[in-house]
Amino acid sequence: MDPAVFEGAVVAGGEARYGAEGGDHVDFRRGVFTGPVTGKGDHHHGDHHHYYGARRPAAGWPHQVGVIPPRAGCFQPRAEVVRLREALAGGRAAVLVGQDTVRGQVLAGMGGVGKTQLAADYARTAWQAGELDLLVWITASNATAAASGYAQAAVELLGADPADRETAARAFLAWLEPKANAEPCRWLVVLDDVTDPADLNGLWPPAGPYGRTLVTTRRQDAALALAGRLIKVGLFTEAESLAYLNATLGACERHEPDEQLTALAQDLGHLPLALSQAVAYLIDAGISTAAYRGLLADRATLLADAAPEVLPDGQTQSAAAAWSLSVDRADTLRPVGLARPMLQLAAFLSPNGIPQTVLTGEPALTHLTRHRNTPVSVTADEAVGALRALARLSLIDHTPATPHQAVRVHQLIQRAIRDTLTPGRHDQLARTTADALTMAWPAIERDTELAQALRANATTLTRTAEDALHRPDVHAVLYLAGRSLGEAGQVTAATAHFQRLTETTGHRLGPDHPDTLTARHNLAYWRGEAGDAAGAAAGFEQLLADRLRVLGEDHPDTLATRHELARWRGETGDAASAAASFEQLLADRLRVQGEDHPDTLATRNELAHWRGKAGDAAGAAAGFEQLLADRLRVQGEDHPHTLTARSNLARWRAEAGDAAGAAAALEQLLADRLRVLGEDHPHTLTTRHNLAHLLGETGDPAGAGAALEELLADRLRVLGKDHPRTLTTRNNLAHWRGEAGDAAGAAAAYEQLLADQLRVQGEDHPHALATRNNLAHWRGEAGDAAGAAAAFEQLLADQLRVLGEDHPDTLTTRNNLAHWRGKAGETPHA
């Protein structure tokens, strides 16, 4: 039976171990020695030695060539250790049953993840267990170093002439070739810290039935993946990080709270090299973990300043220095010179995922073009090529199959890159990155995952470069991020975002700066959307006084503030006042901006709405009919505002008594929204919601309930369980269940809904108060009139406090309270 052939294992990346960069090459394919061959006996990290003198006698087995790096303090038995041992053990078993050649193993990963330590652990364990007759450890940072390691093995094993290093290296590789009837030799060759796959051309150990090859490298080129099975080495898990920190500090009789150590591991992104250097700094400086974390959080502190003076575990370079060499190497790959400027952009964005469109859009391409040596503009394909170059050096993870999180960068690599920038360059790059985010942000957020990724990246950018985003003015990305939060239903988060932006902008630019006033405008708006209509109205009233003083009465921003003030006054319950204010505003908009201006059309929309809310449903329908004609003429049939006008027209037609005509109009609108916006767009879902409601209004409560149940599944999937529109769908689903005859089921559904609304929106939110009204009603309909009356009594007290005695909802509750008191037999009280 022919013996199976085992090629070995390749492990990617040497842990902070670097030989000479570049170096002369030995090309065994041509048989020509192109430069001086350097020898490496023990572990010398690429120092060159020339060997002269007589041949030495051949060594016997077992024999070790080179020195395995010492075991790091508190070495962690990681999952990759098990994977590597299982893979190689499987190869040996396959040999025994005569299977085909088993490919080698390659450990790959960014600098600092512990690849060399994993390889050393495997080699040491196999050697000490007596599994090897020959172990050769070579720091193969270039072709010369690899060839020298082979030559030294030949000198020690074969008695080769030390003066002829090329011939000696050839002899060793030939000796490794399997030979019939030869005594089998179980060998392991470790090529540590391979920096360029081309350096191993002609230098791969041969396939053999008893041999194994293990390579560590940061590279992830296809050539390595084809040469051996690629095993990516990742970061520590949270448990591994905590165990490492506790063990290492405990060895020095230092004990820190687990919560601080866990937070430190998160600050350092669970990178083994960074953790080991952090522990050394803690011990050397005699400071606490909390103090060290404060040092890291200080933006004025460079990453290098947080490293110990003497590196632990025989490390020769800090993480930042190691990554710098990798960036230099990536910059030499095609497209030449673009890797570094690409990484500079990524250094300001989310380490957990950057949409590829951000790094391939026009602002990013302009930035890359400024850094190439030719005047030719960089293309999107070349930008992707720069990402691939960074990925090949394990500086980023690039997964185009997940476009919204296509690029991931370790947070410490990001910080190391930012540390190299001058203050002016830092701020310029931050603004460029903000431009790239803004350009990638869609006007209509059809894709909720993309919107979430963009918000996460805007948050990271703000955290790393907030000063730059306020000079010379507030960058648009800060407004976009807040608006996106609100439109995603996170209205409380949007309010908090604009509260902070208002404070920050006022401090940096002054209280009367236009950007400060704009931030206040957004803050008041989202405060209202979060349920505080009175607070919104008060905020806009104060803002209007300042805008009149700073900008004048005809400034567009002043008119916009009047628009919002009128709206939120209406939301507090004064619909007639809102309609009157919009009528006055419309006259000024026509005078200042003209009849076809989008803001004029928006004011007409609000005027029609509040006329309807004030009791004139027919007038509202007529107003929307006229508005729709003008929107079609000015903005076109597929414009979102045109579609909204159609939706509002259908609503007020129904309110005016034409429910069937409204339902037909919504059917047509739904088809167009599906075509223009897609099935998951919030406005499409809203149209489905309104159509379901009209089904119930036209006498089909069961059909309404079924449609809302289908809609609820989609809103949960697209928007999540806590989105205000999801909660609204649950409210209406409960209502139509009750109308279909299941009063008890409606009451139970409202009880569950109320619990979630109290958690998400708070007890004073108008929607929570409305749900308490509905819950009390359906409790009464289910037979508990006394319970309904008691619930309405408690609700009335809260509505008087929150809404006031003249609010329509307060008056409705007084009516309901009287009704259910009567039903409960309390006729005098009713």
Side-chain angles (χ1 to χ4, degrees):
M1 180 181 294
D2 294 331
V5 181
F6 184 78
E7 284 188 8
V10 184
V11 182
E15 277 320 297
R17 298 182 185 279
Y18 299 90
E21 285 295 314
D24 297 308
H25 290 259
V26 179
D27 190 338
F28 290 102
R29 292 168 296 175
R30 295 193 299 269
V32 178
F33 177 46
T34 59
V37 180
T38 59
K40 290 181 61 179
D42 292 344
H43 198 60
H44 290 297
H45 303 289
D47 295 331
H48 289 189
H49 301 272
H50 294 275
Y51 292 85
Y52 302 97
R55 301 188 185 192
R56 59 193 280 180
W61 303 346
H63 188 74
Q64 177 179 328
V65 180
V67 177
I68 304 174
R71 187 184 184 92
C74 303
F75 175 80
Q76 294 293 301
R78 305 166 62 184
E80 288 86 349
V81 173
V82 178
R83 288 171 57 199
L84 180 58
R85 289 176 182 165
E86 287 178 348
L88 292 175
R92 290 196 299 276
V95 169
L96 296 176
V97 299
Q99 294 183 356
D100 291 337
T101 301
V102 179
R103 303 175 65 204
Q105 313 300 314
V106 182
L107 298 182
M110 63 180 283
V113 293
K115 298 176 295 296
T116 292
Q117 279 295 318
L118 289 171
D121 174 75
Y122 176 80
R124 186 180 296 109
T125 301
W127 181 253
Q128 292 174 351
E131 298 173 2
L132 300 174
D133 299 313
L134 172 64
L135 169 61
V136 180
W137 185 285
I138 302 172
T139 301
S141 54
N142 53 53
T144 302
S148 290
Y150 290 150
Q152 183 62 27
V155 169
E156 296 183 22
L157 283 165
L158 310 177
D161 184 356
D164 189 351
R165 310 296 288 178
E166 178 190 358
T167 301
R170 284 177 168 282
F172 176 68
L173 287 171
W175 182 80
L176 292 179
E177 288 280 358
K179 300 170 181 65
N181 302 320
E183 181 183 358
C185 176
R186 301 168 300 163
W187 55 263
L188 170 65
V189 172
V190 180
L191 299 169
D192 183 35
D193 192 22
V194 172
T195 58
D196 187 341
D199 290 343
L200 296 184
N201 287 342
L203 295 178
W204 280 95
Y210 306 106
R212 316 170 213 174
T213 302
L214 190 58
V215 176
T216 74
T217 178
R218 299 179 192 188
R219 299 289 289 264
Q220 297 187 46
D221 302 69
L224 287 172
L226 293 172
R229 177 181 169 189
L230 192 67
I231 299 176
K232 291 188 178 182
V233 181
L235 306 167
F236 274 168
T237 64
E238 182 174 312
E240 289 169 346
S241 293
L242 185 60
Y244 172 81
L245 291 170
N246 273 317
T248 310
L249 288 168
C252 296
E253 299 185 353
R254 282 282 302 272
H255 302 283
E256 296 279 335
D258 278 358
E259 59 270 19
Q260 282 293 331
L261 295 180
T262 299
L264 174 62
Q266 292 172 345
D267 293 342
L268 297 174
H270 301 283
L271 182 68
L273 182 64
L275 291 172
S276 70
Q277 295 184 2
V279 168
Y281 190 101
L282 286 173
I283 295 169
D284 289 348
I287 64 173
S288 67
T289 302
Y292 184 79
R293 292 185 61 222
L295 181 68
L296 283 176
D298 186 354
R299 296 179 186 174
T301 301
L302 299 179
L303 195 59
D305 296 334
E309 292 185 16
V310 179
L311 299 177
D313 296 327
Q315 297 163 11
T316 59
Q317 289 179 313
S318 68
W323 294 325
S324 179
L325 292 174
S326 292
V327 176
D328 290 342
R329 176 75 69 170
D331 238 3
T332 66
L333 303 178
R334 294 194 303 261
V336 177
L338 298 187
R340 186 182 299 275
M342 176 61 82
L343 190 56
Q344 288 172 343
L345 289 180
F348 288 88
L349 296 170
S350 173
N352 297 318
I354 306 168
Q356 184 160 300
T357 52
V358 174
L359 299 176
T360 57
E362 196 58 41
L365 298 181
T366 301
H367 164 73
L368 295 175
T369 299
R370 285 198 298 265
H371 290 80
R372 78 181 321 170
N373 295 326
T374 65
V376 180
S377 296
V378 173
T379 66
D381 286 343
E382 288 177 310
V384 173
L387 294 173
R388 298 307 303 163
L390 291 167
R392 286 167 64 188
L393 268 296
S394 298
L395 290 163
I396 68 170
D397 284 332
H398 182 223
T399 54
T402 55
H404 301 337
Q405 295 178 309
V407 177
R408 296 175 185 266
V409 195
H410 193 277
Q411 62 205 51
L412 292 186
I413 292 181
Q414 292 179 309
R415 179 157 184 179
I417 292 297
R418 295 197 302 271
D419 282 353
T420 65
L421 304 172
T422 63
R425 186 77 181 119
H426 177 280
D427 289 357
Q428 180 189 26
L429 274 165
R431 299 284 295 197
T432 298
T433 307
D435 291 343
L437 267 179
T438 302
M439 184 70 70
W441 219 303
I444 300 174
E445 294 183 357
R446 297 187 181 93
D447 189 331
T448 55
E449 289 185 5
L450 173 60
Q452 184 176 6
L454 291 171
R455 291 195 300 270
N457 278 273
T459 298
T460 301
L461 175 60
T462 304
R463 186 169 58 248
T464 56
E466 188 172 37
D467 290 350
L469 299 182
H470 283 83
R471 290 197 299 261
D473 52 17
V474 175
H475 197 283
V477 76
L478 295 177
Y479 297 117
L480 280 174
R483 183 201 72 188
S484 180
L485 276 172
E487 291 184 351
Q490 300 179 48
V491 290
T492 302
T495 303
H497 174 91
F498 282 111
Q499 178 71 54
R500 172 176 170 75
L501 185 60
T502 297
E503 295 168 355
T504 304
T505 305
H507 174 71
R508 296 173 188 274
L509 302 178
D512 289 341
H513 192 281
D515 287 343
T516 304
L517 300 178
T518 299
R520 288 174 58 190
H521 181 104
N522 283 281
L523 172 59
Y525 174 84
W526 289 109
R527 182 174 289 161
E529 291 292 332
D532 185 7
F540 279 116
E541 193 164 13
Q542 295 168 358
L543 176 61
L544 179 59
D546 290 333
R547 277 189 159 163
L548 284 167
R549 174 177 55 83
V550 176
L551 304 175
E553 63 181 6
D554 289 341
H555 192 281
D557 290 350
T558 304
L559 299 177
T561 301
R562 288 175 59 190
H563 180 107
E564 292 299 331
L565 175 57
R567 179 204 165 184
W568 289 107
R569 278 180 175 164
E571 294 290 349
T572 63
D574 192 355
S577 173
S581 295
F582 276 115
E583 197 160 8
Q584 295 170 356
L585 175 60
L586 179 58
D588 290 333
R589 288 233 196 248
L590 288 167
R591 173 178 57 82
V592 175
Q593 297 172 304
E595 64 181 3
D596 291 341
H597 193 281
D599 292 347
T600 304
L601 299 176
T603 296
R604 287 174 59 190
N605 180 90
E606 292 293 328
L607 175 57
H609 171 79
W610 290 107
R611 278 179 175 164
K613 294 290 281 185
D616 185 8
F624 278 115
E625 194 162 10
Q626 294 168 356
L627 174 61
L628 177 58
D630 289 333
R631 285 212 187 268
L632 285 167
R633 175 178 56 81
V634 175
Q635 296 173 310
E637 63 181 4
D638 289 342
H639 192 281
H641 292 168
T642 303
L643 300 177
T644 298
R646 289 171 60 187
S647 177
N648 290 333
L649 174 56
R651 175 198 171 171
W652 288 106
R653 275 182 176 166
E655 294 284 346
D658 185 12
L666 286 179
E667 288 276 10
Q668 296 171 350
L669 175 61
L670 179 58
D672 289 333
R673 277 192 158 158
L674 286 166
R675 174 178 55 82
V676 175
L677 303 178
E679 62 181 4
D680 288 342
H681 192 279
H683 291 174
T684 304
L685 299 178
T686 296
T687 300
R688 287 174 58 191
H689 182 279
N690 294 338
L691 188 55
H693 178 72
L694 279 179
L695 273 176
E697 291 290 339
T698 54
D700 185 9
L708 287 170
E709 199 155 9
E710 291 179 4
L711 174 63
L712 179 59
D714 289 332
R715 278 194 158 162
L716 286 167
R717 174 177 56 81
V718 175
L719 303 177
K721 64 185 178 72
D722 291 339
H723 193 284
R725 293 191 182 98
T726 304
L727 300 176
T728 298
T729 299
R730 288 174 60 188
N731 175 87
N732 288 338
L733 175 57
H735 170 80
W736 289 113
R737 277 181 178 164
E739 292 293 337
D742 185 8
Y750 275 119
E751 195 161 12
Q752 294 170 356
L753 172 62
L754 179 60
D756 289 331
Q757 285 180 320
L758 291 172
R759 175 178 54 81
V760 174
Q761 298 171 316
E763 62 182 6
D764 290 341
H765 194 283
H767 292 176
L769 298 176
T771 297
R772 288 173 60 188
N773 175 89
N774 295 331
L775 173 57
H777 170 80
W778 288 109
R779 274 181 177 164
E781 293 292 340
D784 185 9
F792 276 118
E793 192 165 9
Q794 294 171 352
L795 173 61
L796 179 59
D798 289 332
Q799 285 181 326
L800 285 167
R801 175 177 55 83
V802 175
L803 304 177
E805 62 182 6
D806 294 332
H807 193 281
D809 291 350
T810 306
L811 300 175
T812 298
T813 297
R814 289 175 60 187
N815 177 79
N816 291 335
L817 173 57
H819 171 80
W820 287 107
R821 275 179 172 169
K823 288 281 190 181
E826 302 179 44
T827 306
H829 288 91

